Amino acid sequence: MDINGKNILITGGSLGIGKETAKFLSDKGANVLITGRSEERLNNSIAYTRAKKIVFDIGNLKNIQEKAKECIQILDGRVDVLVNNAGTGFRRNIDELNANDFLEVYNTNVFGLSLLTKEIIPIMKEKQAGTIINIGSTASLKGYKGGSIYSSSKFAVRALTQCWQAELRPFNIRVIQIN
């Protein structure tokens, strides 16, 4: 795929995989917008990546629609590629689990990812083109001790990816997961 001039939205772009992906894509000529919870980390990242930024915590489900519209506006109404990279997690053994821990992880890793994608899809459908890349984990393939919350959230992302592949392929929208 030629990414020169493509509009790419990367969630969780202030650290790690998201930050390095933003730099790589910017270096290849893409117009990159990164999101993150920390304005300070985003500012450090944009100095390195030359991407645009928006402070946006996808785990805050109350403002997904509003923030998605801001992202779309910053990208001049066109999102060619959505990289769902934002994620969180921690280890808890089964006897330590509670609902709030599940909600904290699932709000970002599953619900926020899904609701943001839902807001971007109409643009891609109208264009009859687009790519959605869900950043998964080997935890989406095999659970591990203490991984009930994180691993199950990544299993959910794997299932979402497969469902969206079937739903969106007729619109020429590719959906993949990278572990």
Side-chain angles (χ1 to χ4, degrees):
M1 171 198 276
D2 180 16
I3 60 171
N4 188 44
K6 297 287 184 185
N7 286 352
I8 301 175
L9 172 57
I10 302 174
T11 66
S14 64
L15 296 169
I17 292 169
K19 181 178 176 180
E20 292 302 323
T21 301
K23 175 150 180 43
F24 176 82
L25 295 172
S26 291
D27 287 348
K28 297 290 183 187
N31 303 312
V32 179
L33 172 62
I34 59 175
T35 74
R37 292 180 288 203
S38 166
E39 186 157 21
E40 181 181 345
R41 287 194 313 235
L42 281 168
N43 287 336
N44 291 335
S45 186
I46 63 167
Y48 175 69
T49 65
R50 295 179 321 282
K52 298 171 185 165
K53 68 160 179 141
I54 181 171
V55 178
F56 176 14
D57 176 3
I58 70 164
N60 180 354
L61 305 181
K62 295 176 193 158
N63 68 357
I64 294 274
Q65 282 184 314
E66 172 190 322
K67 290 294 189 175
K69 286 178 185 169
E70 287 180 46
C71 290
I72 292 164
Q73 185 176 31
I74 291 168
L75 291 171
D76 297 323
R78 194 182 92 235
V79 180
D80 300 302
V81 180
L82 170 61
V83 180
N84 284 312
N85 174 67
T88 190
F90 44 81
R91 292 176 183 256
R92 295 277 192 274
N93 288 329
I94 192 165
D95 55 342
E96 302 168 316
L97 297 178
N98 65 63
N100 288 334
D101 291 341
F102 272 99
L103 287 173
E104 182 179 335
V105 173
Y106 271 68
N107 280 349
T108 297
N109 295 6
V110 181
F111 306 141
L113 173 148
S114 299
L115 295 173
L116 174 61
T117 302
K118 176 187 172 193
E119 296 299 318
I120 301 301
I121 291 301
I123 294 165
M124 292 180 173
K125 280 184 173 181
E126 183 178 322
K127 224 175 79 173
Q128 290 288 297
T131 301
I132 299 165
I133 301 169
N134 293 329
I135 303 300
S137 168
T138 55
S140 73
L141 304 172
K142 182 172 175 45
Y144 56 90
K145 182 181 185 285
S148 294
I149 298 171
Y150 180 74
S151 190
S152 66
S153 77
K154 291 302 183 173
F155 266 76
V157 170
R158 188 168 132 218
L160 290 167
T161 300
Q162 292 173 359
C163 293
W164 297 346
Q165 286 169 336
E167 291 174 28
L168 299 173
R169 194 63 189 145
F171 300 97
N172 197 34
I173 300 170
R174 292 175 298 252
V175 183
I176 64 168
Q177 178 171 317
I178 299 173
N179 292 334

